[in-house]
């Protein structure tokens, strides 16, 4: 082991722990929502916005967060994001009512977007394209899979023992620990910083456009896909994103240089990253609902039901780099999407109203646990392979935005499919709900199958030449 590898491992552990915190935070709060509703006398609409406010600001600001990290410095933005996340979490723990809690969750999303984009950019700077980066991305994927289950389990335990407010204070504690450790393991000179002007018009149109599209998607289930609110917000958001493309073509220092989006591998890999989350994110949600609503598990049991999947993720993720080395990036990616399609299809067909965990969920979930790191690591590798050093924040923001919007779109579409199918089936409650979950998972399998076909067309770029030297930020951050 070289002396340089020791601090890099410490930095990777810190960044992976940040990924764990951000994924865990979403799961913890979702588990605590029923208790929030009872304590604050909030209806279902108010409770939905406790979750949605976070998703909207997180998804809408990832791209901007990545570019801000390029401009101001990755470590500085990372620490700022963690600080904001901690302060907003404390505000959530002290919230006197539902409105204050929704505002705190929106602020949490802002902090999470800054921390997530900067953390991913720091990883790209610490680990150049190659086997070391593949292993680092594997660690990220493992922490993401573990965070979902750990958040569900901790959310149930902590809420039962200490109340829902303690889940927010847990975030404060974790974020504070990471913020204290960051200056010790992250080099002050965290890489080149992009110099130039700030693209205000591009920032406003991109952030508002992404935020409105996220708002339309997360609210579609309640308001209706063809409601004035959904169509108005979605249409305005898309119009702003079209305006953003026109602004970028004329900007002196564009938020997203048009030349970046002309790279075929980058466009396709970001599309594949979104499709992966379109299937994966709602799958966790639907399986948890099936275990609780149909098989009668408690919320804690529903979370523990996903533990075998997460253990497979943790085992497979570190080996993904070796597989990429042996059979190639696009073959590994295609294999991952084929396994994702097969696992989701198997899970959908295995569900029965009177089954048990071992006979319905366990075996296909193990296959999905193997698929998750393969698709996550390979899409991240492909989406960031062409990024020059001064584009690391941009690359991380683009792929993180793609993944977040894939998650939001997948959850909105698959839950709508499940709801409509459940309402259309004239059968017992358990049979109707099982039919709805099956229809949703079959839709998710179709998304994964389409991604597998697209992955065959991916032609990963060769190693990018070393970028031209960029001035380093003075060591005073």
């Amino acid at each position: 082991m070289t002396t340089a590898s020791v601090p890099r491992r410490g930095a990777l552990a810190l960044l992976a722990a940040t990924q764990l915190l951000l994924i865990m935070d979403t799961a913890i709060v979702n588990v605590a929502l029923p208790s929030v509703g009872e304590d604050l006398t909030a209806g279902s609409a108010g409770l939905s916005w406790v979750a949605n406010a976070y998703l909207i600001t997180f998804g809408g600001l990832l791209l901007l967060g990545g570019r801000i990290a390029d401009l101001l410095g990755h470590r500085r933005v990372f620490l700022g994001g963690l600080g904001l996340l901690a302060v907003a979490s404390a505000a959530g723990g002290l919230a006197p009512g539902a409105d204050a809690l929704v505002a705190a969750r929106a602020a949490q999303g802002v902090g999470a977007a800054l921390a997530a984009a900067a953390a991913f950019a720091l990883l790209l700077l610490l680990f150049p394209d190659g086997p070391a980066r593949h292993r680092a991305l594997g660690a990220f994927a493992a922490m993401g899979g573990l965070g979902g289950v750990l958040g569900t389990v901790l959310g149930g335990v902590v809420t039962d023992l200490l109340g829902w407010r303690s889940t927010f204070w847990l975030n404060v504690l974790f974020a504070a620990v990471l913020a204290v450790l960051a200056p010790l393991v992250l080099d002050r000179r965290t890489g080149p910083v992009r110099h130039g002007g700030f693209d205000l018009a591009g920032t406003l149109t991109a952030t508002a456009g992404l935020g409105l599209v996220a708002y339309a998607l997360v609210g579609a289930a309640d308001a209706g896909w063809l409601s004035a609110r959904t169509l108005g917000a979605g249409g305005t958001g898309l119009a702003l994103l079209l305006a953003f493309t026109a602004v970028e073509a004329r900007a002196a220092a564009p938020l997203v240089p048009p030349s970046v989006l002309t790279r075929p591998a980058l466009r396709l890999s970001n599309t594949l990253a979104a499709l992966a989350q379109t299937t994966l994110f709602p799958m966790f949600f639907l399986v948890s609902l099936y275990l609780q609503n149909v098989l009668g598990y408690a919320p804690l049991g529903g979370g523990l039901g996903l533990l075998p999947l997460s253990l497979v993720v943790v085992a497979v993720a570190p080996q993904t780099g070796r597989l990429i080395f042996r059979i190639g990036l696009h073959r590994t990616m295609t294999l991952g999407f084929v396994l994702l399609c097969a696992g989701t299809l198997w899970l959908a067909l295995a569900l029965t109203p009177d089954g048990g965990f071992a006979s319905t969920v366990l075996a296909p979930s193990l296959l999905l646990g193997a698929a998750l790191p393969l698709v996550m690591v390979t899409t991240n590798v492909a989406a960031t392979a062409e990024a020059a050093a001064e584009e690391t924040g941009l690359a991380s923001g683009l792929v993180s935005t793609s993944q977040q919007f894939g998650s939001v779109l997948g959850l909105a579409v698959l839950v709508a499919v499940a709801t409509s199918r459940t309402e259309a089936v004239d059968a017992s409650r358990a049979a109707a709900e099982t039919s709805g979950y099956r229809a949703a998972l079959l839709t998710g399998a179709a998304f994964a199958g389409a991604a597998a076909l697209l992955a065959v067309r991916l032609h990963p770029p060769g190693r990018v030449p070393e970028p031209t030297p960029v001035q380093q930020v003075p060591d005073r951050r």
Side-chain angles (χ1 to χ4, degrees):
M1 182 186 301
T2 65
T3 56
S5 67
V6 176
R8 285 209 307 175
R9 290 191 176 188
L12 175 59
L14 176 80
L15 298 174
T18 304
Q19 173 76 350
L20 177 70
L21 169 63
L22 297 179
I23 300 298
M24 190 173 66
D25 171 55
T26 302
I28 284 179
V29 173
N30 286 344
V31 171
L33 283 180
S35 298
V36 173
E38 292 178 9
D39 187 31
L40 302 182
T41 61
S44 58
L47 284 180
S48 69
W49 284 107
V50 172
N52 293 344
Y54 178 87
L55 292 175
I56 291 170
T57 53
F58 190 20
L61 292 170
L62 277 166
L63 177 59
L64 178 60
R67 215 43 172 159
I68 287 175
D70 284 337
L71 284 167
L72 301 182
H74 304 93
R75 195 184 78 151
R76 179 182 294 156
V77 173
F78 175 70
L79 287 169
L82 285 177
L84 179 56
L85 180 63
V87 171
S89 297
L94 297 170
D99 291 342
L101 185 58
V102 169
R105 288 289 285 161
Q108 276 187 306
V110 177
L114 294 173
F120 199 2
L122 284 165
L123 181 143
L124 299 181
L125 287 169
L126 285 166
F127 299 93
D129 188 33
R133 178 178 290 183
H134 302 166
R135 289 192 293 271
L137 290 172
F140 249 50
M143 290 302 100
L146 186 60
V149 174
L150 187 59
T152 302
V153 173
L154 275 179
V157 172
V158 173
T159 301
D160 286 343
L161 294 178
L162 302 174
W164 67 267
R165 293 183 186 274
S166 63
T167 63
F168 286 88
W169 291 109
L170 195 62
N171 281 338
V172 176
L173 175 62
F174 286 165
V177 170
L178 292 174
V180 169
L181 293 176
L184 303 178
V185 299
L186 295 178
D187 191 342
R188 292 178 182 272
R189 293 170 295 180
T190 55
V193 174
R194 176 177 174 266
H195 297 281
F198 187 74
D199 180 14
L200 179 60
T203 296
L204 292 176
T205 51
T207 302
L210 290 171
L212 284 170
V213 170
Y215 173 80
L217 289 173
V218 300
D222 293 329
W225 285 90
L226 298 179
S227 67
R229 189 181 84 180
T230 301
L231 293 178
T236 303
L238 292 175
L240 285 170
L241 292 177
L242 287 175
F244 168 71
T245 61
V247 168
E248 297 305 273
R250 297 174 174 81
L255 183 68
V256 181
S259 60
V260 171
L261 298 180
T262 62
R263 302 170 188 172
L266 181 142
R267 292 200 307 269
L268 183 54
S269 56
N270 273 274
T271 301
L272 290 168
L275 284 172
Q277 288 300 323
T278 301
T279 300
L280 282 167
F281 187 80
M283 180 272 297
F284 283 97
F285 179 72
L286 293 167
V287 169
S288 181
L289 286 181
Y290 170 74
L291 291 174
Q292 295 178 60
N293 295 347
V294 177
L295 300 189
Y297 283 64
L300 180 58
L304 289 174
L306 295 169
L307 183 59
L309 182 152
S310 296
L311 294 177
V312 174
V313 171
V314 173
V316 173
Q319 309 304 320
T320 304
R322 296 179 183 177
L323 190 59
I324 293 172
F325 177 77
R326 290 181 179 179
I327 68 175
L329 179 61
H330 82 280
R331 290 189 182 90
T332 305
M333 181 186 294
T334 303
L335 173 63
F337 278 111
V338 169
L339 293 178
L340 179 60
C341 178
T344 308
L345 182 61
W346 184 3
L347 178 62
L349 298 178
L351 299 185
T352 61
D354 54 356
F357 170 74
S359 63
T360 58
V361 173
L362 179 59
S365 73
L366 298 180
L367 186 60
L368 290 167
L372 187 152
L374 296 184
V375 297
M376 292 301 296
V377 174
T378 54
T379 52
N380 281 331
V381 167
T384 57
E386 293 178 288
E390 67 273 15
E391 295 174 341
T392 51
L394 172 62
S396 70
L398 283 172
V399 70
S400 297
T401 299
S402 299
Q403 291 167 349
Q404 183 68 13
F405 273 84
S407 300
V408 173
L409 177 62
L411 189 61
V413 171
L414 268 62
V415 168
V417 170
T419 301
S420 62
R421 178 60 181 168
T422 298
E423 293 173 349
V425 173
D426 185 13
S428 65
R429 182 192 63 82
E433 290 191 0
T434 300
S435 180
Y437 300 144
R438 182 182 298 116
L441 289 169
L442 289 173
T443 304
F447 282 127
L453 295 175
L454 285 175
V456 175
R457 300 179 53 192
L458 181 70
H459 300 289
R463 177 164 295 196
V464 181
E466 287 296 320
T468 54
V470 181
Q471 181 181 352
Q472 297 282 341
V473 175
D475 189 3
R476 58 170 179 263
R477 277 181 256 162

